[in-house]
Amino acid sequence: MMKAIVLSGGFATRLRPISYALPKLLFPVAGKPMIYWTLDLLQESGVDQVVLAVNYLADSLRAVVGQKYKGIRINYSLEDEPLGTGGPIKLAARMLKPKETFIAMNGDIITDIDLNKMIRNHKRSKAVVTDALHEVRDPSRFGVVKLDPAGRIQRFVEKPTLREAPSRLVNAGIYLIEPTMLNMIPSGRKVSLEREIFPILAKRGRLFGFPFKGQWFDIGNLADYRKANFALLRGHAPKRDLQRRGTRFKQPVFLGEQTKTETAATVGPNALVGRNCVIRRGAHVVDSILFDRVTIGERSIVSGAIIASSVLVGKNVRIEPGTIISPNVKISDGIRIGKDAIIHPYKEITANVRPRANVM
Ligand code: GTP
């Protein structure tokens, strides 16, 4: 059986303001919180012990995920302060005590990578670290690598311009690591694997790449978040529209458990609605992501929005595309929320909101 460390402690600044109140790994993606996409992949690949390297909002993550998931034992390694990508692995390894190759990965990626094939490659090449690589059209937001013909990574270029990029293969945030690598990470301070450790291994010829095709979503900002949700939704939803108790469902649609929809409501196309939500009579939800416990009042229209948990939208409200609503917001009847408006947690909205307004 394998062991894994999952980096789960970032501040998720690019997902603010929703991430002020909710850790990134608990954002729902196509029906389940992000962390379960990772745990499912690990479980299917034969992992039975996972340490979540946590920091920011650690308690909420622990309260939801707990100590056990589908036979995986889960422990939490808590940093007193953020330690980058290398520091948390060093700290979490004290708990994991790996004696052989282990997996380390970012918790905010959704992928169908074949980890067992990656492990076979890793052993064959006698690498100290193997880094999964994915080809992207625009590598300028990522760490880009240059490979030699044997699959060794020769160099890493962080966030290059298109012209500087040595390839379109980017660091996918999934690593196989030999325990000896841990000795290279200094304790007690912020350490970047990509900037400090990998260049040394590359020089020694012990850093290998594993290019893979298939699904890979890296969820950094709200545009990535939206894209991953709708792509996964299209992959899984039934093709045909349907009518259920007077509600019209235009596919693709996802509805969570215990969610109720009333007569003459329209849901979809492109609607992801979480658990315990209510879509009232005559309301319309399209191109939108609703987290759990969201109520949309009678005849309200929600188009192109992301609405986080425990949001109450009154009657005859109009929510325009690009709107982001954080957890625990209440919107009064008849309100209009203009395009690209952002609403912070715990707000009561009793007057119209202008386009692009930031309501704090
Ligand atoms: P931004 O602030 O928007 O860049 O997001 P982020 O904080 O999540 O950073 P990034 O997207 O680079 O993180 C990639 C993965 O590493 C995510 O799963 C994060 O939760 C995790 N991560 C980032 N920084 C730290 C850290 O200092 N400690 C731990 N334990 N995890 C981290």
Side-chain angles (χ1 to χ4, degrees):
M1 294 304 255
M2 291 279 288
K3 299 182 178 197
I5 293 171
V6 178
L7 293 176
S8 317
F11 287 107
T13 53
R14 290 169 293 162
L15 294 178
R16 286 177 183 169
I18 297 177
S19 57
Y20 282 127
L22 184 75
K24 167 149 69 170
L25 272 54
L26 293 183
F27 276 52
V29 179
K32 60 185 174 190
M34 220 181 282
I35 182 67
Y36 292 113
W37 286 93
T38 300
L39 292 176
D40 283 337
L41 170 78
L42 293 173
Q43 194 259 344
E44 285 155 19
S45 310
V47 169
D48 66 343
Q49 194 189 349
V50 170
V51 173
L52 298 186
V54 292
N55 175 39
Y56 182 63
L57 297 177
D59 290 343
S60 347
L61 196 62
R62 198 197 297 248
V64 172
V65 181
Q67 309 293 325
K68 196 111 194 150
Y69 176 74
K70 292 189 180 170
I72 301 180
R73 185 149 59 91
I74 299 172
N75 294 101
Y76 296 82
S77 165
L78 179 66
E79 302 148 48
D80 295 330
E81 52 185 310
L83 294 174
T85 44
I89 294 179
K90 173 100 173 179
L91 194 69
R94 282 201 219 149
M95 215 170 239
L96 200 68
K97 298 189 181 64
K99 304 231 162 21
E100 48 195 82
T101 315
F102 64 97
I103 301 166
M105 65 185 285
N106 293 352
D108 58 352
I109 51 189
I110 295 179
T111 174
D112 59 2
I113 186 173
D114 183 345
L115 284 174
N116 289 308
K117 186 171 170 199
M118 182 174 173
I119 291 163
R120 288 195 296 277
N121 273 40
H122 174 80
K123 302 254 186 215
R124 205 180 308 129
S125 66
K126 301 204 164 44
V128 172
V129 171
T130 300
D131 183 8
L133 306 172
H134 200 260
E135 196 169 298
V136 297
R137 215 177 297 154
D138 175 8
S140 59
R141 282 170 49 204
F142 300 99
V144 188
V145 303
K146 183 166 168 31
L147 284 183
D148 79 5
R152 280 189 192 82
I153 294 179
Q154 292 181 310
R155 78 194 161 89
F156 252 96
V157 191
E158 274 299 317
K159 303 188 178 62
T161 60
L162 267 180
R163 192 159 340 126
E164 288 166 347
S167 74
R168 291 196 290 130
L169 284 174
V170 306
N171 176 3
I174 307 159
Y175 314 104
L176 294 176
I177 300 178
E178 292 305 306
T180 52
M181 193 277 280
L182 295 167
N183 301 326
M184 298 173 66
I185 306 178
S187 296
R189 70 164 170 89
K190 210 169 190 165
V191 181
S192 160
L193 278 186
E194 303 87 324
R195 289 192 174 86
E196 296 184 53
I197 311 298
F198 290 173
I200 304 174
L201 282 173
K203 233 179 238 158
R204 294 182 191 160
R206 304 298 295 280
L207 178 68
F208 281 73
F210 176 72
F212 72 100
K213 293 199 161 56
Q215 198 172 67
W216 180 72
F217 298 102
D218 165 71
I219 296 167
N221 55 33
L222 286 162
D224 296 333
Y225 174 67
R226 220 186 287 262
K227 199 166 116 190
N229 267 289
F230 291 132
L232 289 162
L233 176 66
R234 275 194 300 278
H236 292 100
K239 295 276 172 294
R240 252 187 304 140
D241 293 353
L242 56 107
Q243 184 104 13
R244 196 186 70 182
R245 284 192 225 111
T247 302
R248 176 131 190 247
F249 292 98
K250 297 185 179 176
Q251 298 296 342
V253 165
F254 172 85
L255 275 199
E257 286 164 29
Q258 312 289 337
T259 280
K260 294 193 192 79
T261 59
E262 296 184 347
T263 316
T266 305
V267 183
N270 291 312
L272 291 125
V273 183
R275 296 183 192 192
N276 295 298
C277 294
V278 184
I279 315 288
R280 296 254 181 247
R281 191 181 280 266
H284 188 181
V285 176
V286 56
D287 296 328
S288 294
I289 303 166
L290 274 47
F291 294 17
D292 298 337
R293 299 178 302 281
V294 174
T295 296
I296 307 296
E298 287 181 20
R299 294 177 303 282
S300 288
I301 298 173
V302 177
S303 167
I306 298 178
I307 303 185
S309 300
S310 305
V311 170
L312 195 57
V313 175
K315 294 179 198 169
N316 296 310
V317 171
R318 197 182 173 100
I319 297 179
E320 299 199 338
T323 297
I324 310 293
I325 302 181
S326 302
N328 298 292
V329 166
K330 187 168 176 242
I331 299 174
S332 303
D333 295 348
I335 293 292
R336 187 179 186 123
I337 311 254
K339 269 184 155 201
D340 299 320
I342 296 175
I343 299 176
H344 284 238
Y346 296 99
K347 288 277 136 198
E348 261 195 77
I349 306 295
T350 52
N352 288 346
V353 174
R354 276 178 294 108
R356 290 180 299 286
N358 198 0
V359 183
M360 305 175 74

